[in-house]
Amino acid sequence: MAFVIGRRCKDVSESGALDVIAGYTLLNDLSARDYQFMTPQWLPGKVFDGSAPCGPALVTPDEAGPHDGIEISLTLNGETMQSASTSDLIHGVPALVAYLSKLMTLEPGDIVSTGTPAGVGSVRQPHVWLKPGDVCVVESRTLGRLETRLV
């Protein structure tokens, strides 16, 4: 799940953080693990073309429901791999906004990915690696359905 900043802000308090959010959307945090595991930094595995599809829409906060109650799931070729809620986040949405806005000025349209729920393929035994032809579906009752076909 990701949230989108709605207005320019800096040094936002946690209590005021939800006021700067334009809405929520789904984001598939795809990773090229071969590149990610080449260094201790995760960035190389997450910056390739097509690496973070998002959508299908920007859902306003009132339509999305409570920021700490958004349910999401991911299926791979029809099999549920991840199922979680934003209540499971280590750092909730207000804390993320407050922290990031201390590091940088947040601008309207900035997209913040909140993280990956338990169940990623690289930590499963046996490992589950994505391959051409696989279909990943990220879904939420309030945010919609994002389907990604790997090529």
Side-chain angles (χ1 to χ4, degrees), residues 72-110:
I72 57 171
S73 67
L74 180 136
T75 59
L76 175 61
N77 302 321
E79 180 184 345
T80 299
M81 303 295 283
Q82 296 172 288
S83 183
S85 166
T86 51
S87 65
D88 300 325
L89 290 170
I90 294 169
H91 303 287
V93 173
L96 291 170
V97 171
Y99 180 71
L100 291 171
S101 73
K102 289 188 182 6
L103 297 175
M104 67 188 91
T105 300
L106 297 173
E107 299 287 351
D110 284 351

